[in-house]
Each structure stands twice: as C-alpha cells, then as structure tokens.
Amino acid sequence: MAHALLPMSAGFATCMSLIVSIGAQNAFVLRQGLRRHAVLLVVAICIASDVALIALGVGGFGTLVTGSPTLLTACTVAGGCFLLCYGFLAARRAFRPGTGLEAGTGATGSRRRAALTCLAMTWLNPQTYLETILLIGSVAAGYGAMRWEFGLGALAASCVWFLALGFGARLLTGLFARPGAWRVLDGVIAVMMVSLGASLLAGA
C-alpha cells in the first residue's frame, strides 16, 4: 500500500494544479454554490465527467505505451513539458493578476438548465480534453504499472475540489472577490506544476 502513495500523491497534485484556476467551469460551479442552486447536481456532473475523461486518458495511454519504451519516454517528456508550460502560465498570472471572480446575479433558473450548462462547459471545452486525456494521461503513462494509482489520485483531487468549490462557495465569497487571493493561489499552482514537470523530465 505504501508504494502506491507516491503515484497517488502525484496524481492528486497534478490534477489539483490543473483544475484550481479561474475558468468557465469553475466559475459556474462557484456561482451555483453561492446561489445554493442545484449544487449537488452540478458537482456530480463535474466529477462524473472527470471520472470518464481521466479513465480514458489513463487507460488509453497506458495501453499504447505498454510495449514501447520509446513511446513511454515520449509521453513522459510531453507530460513534463505541458506541466512546465502550465506552471509558467500560472506564474505569469500570479505576477500579473487580473480581477477577482464575482458571483453571478439574477434568477437561478431550472435544474435542467443548470445541468445542460454544466455539461456544455465541461464537454465543449477543448481545454478539458487537453488536461484530462492528453496531459493527465501522458503523465500517468510515466508511472507504468502504477498509472491507475496515479489516476485514482487525480480522481480524488477532482472530488475534493468540486465538492469544496460547490458546497464551500459561500465561505469564499469575500476572499475570492479580491484579485490578491487568486494571485497567491496561482503562485502555489506554479510551484507545484513546475516541480512536477521538472521531476518527470529528469527521470525521462
């Protein structure tokens, strides 16, 4: 069990670094949480979507690299480079912060509309596929037989983040209305992603 903690921890850190940012999906989940409207439904859609996408990424890349050390190295290098790029982008946001995230206002709408909006923001966003199937899948491939432990760690991060974002949103209203809070958060993300990326490239 102890030997599985490293890939699970890496998967958790990788996924958390990717999803903790101001984006359309997170903004929507946060706003639903602030309104206390269809929160469980929206959170469940986000988590279920990540389960499917991460499983596709981990399973697909794992199958491809099983008998190809060259492809394994290529995937590991690709994952490391992606992490470094995302880390540098997060660092740039930290040094050049924008505005805070404001909660939406107006009518809450129906549960069906909330569900369809959440599905659209998840499945029609190209970045979702880049982060889950390509990035998480390629990084997981670097762990070989332990790639599913890496995937479980990534799924755990998804569950923790969306549950915290949706149901803890009201506690964050004042904090994340200020740009400085996102600046600190992006700084932490930058350190985590650059460290993971450098570690992968060093072992490739």
Side-chain angles (χ1 to χ4, degrees):
M1 180 64 181
H3 68 285
L5 291 179
L6 181 59
M8 289 181 68
S9 298
F12 187 95
T14 300
C15 185
M16 191 64 76
S17 296
L18 292 171
I19 63 177
V20 180
S21 62
I22 301 179
Q25 185 188 48
N26 285 341
F28 178 73
V29 175
L30 182 58
R31 290 189 179 101
Q32 292 299 115
L34 291 171
R35 296 171 176 175
R36 296 187 180 183
H37 174 66
V39 180
L40 181 59
L41 175 62
V42 167
V43 168
I45 289 173
C46 292
I47 292 175
S49 296
D50 273 6
V51 169
L53 290 168
I54 291 174
L56 283 174
V58 175
F61 273 92
T63 300
L64 286 174
V65 303
T66 298
S68 177
T70 301
L71 186 56
L72 174 60
T73 299
C75 289
T76 301
V77 170
C81 289
F82 271 119
L83 286 174
L84 288 178
C85 289
Y86 270 79
F88 288 134
L89 288 175
R92 188 175 67 174
R93 291 196 303 268
F95 285 107
R96 300 174 59 186
T99 58
L101 182 62
E102 298 178 355
T105 57
T108 56
S110 68
R111 290 172 59 85
R112 180 174 179 272
R113 181 175 180 179
L116 291 175
T117 301
C118 187
L119 286 169
M121 289 184 173
T122 301
W123 291 91
L124 298 181
N125 182 5
Q127 187 176 0
T128 299
Y129 300 97
L130 174 67
E131 293 176 351
T132 53
I133 294 180
L134 180 58
L135 179 52
I136 292 180
S138 62
V139 176
Y143 288 87
M146 303 295 289
R147 63 186 182 277
W148 288 109
E149 284 77 359
F150 180 95
L152 286 175
L155 291 176
S158 176
C159 292
V160 169
W161 171 249
F162 286 118
L163 286 170
L165 186 63
F167 292 100
R170 293 186 67 85
L171 301 177
L172 305 175
T173 306
L175 176 62
F176 285 97
R178 297 176 294 179
W182 289 103
R183 185 176 186 179
V184 172
L185 187 59
D186 279 327
V188 173
I189 291 172
V191 172
M192 292 173 64
M193 296 182 76
V194 170
S195 298
L196 285 169
S199 175
L200 279 175
L201 292 177

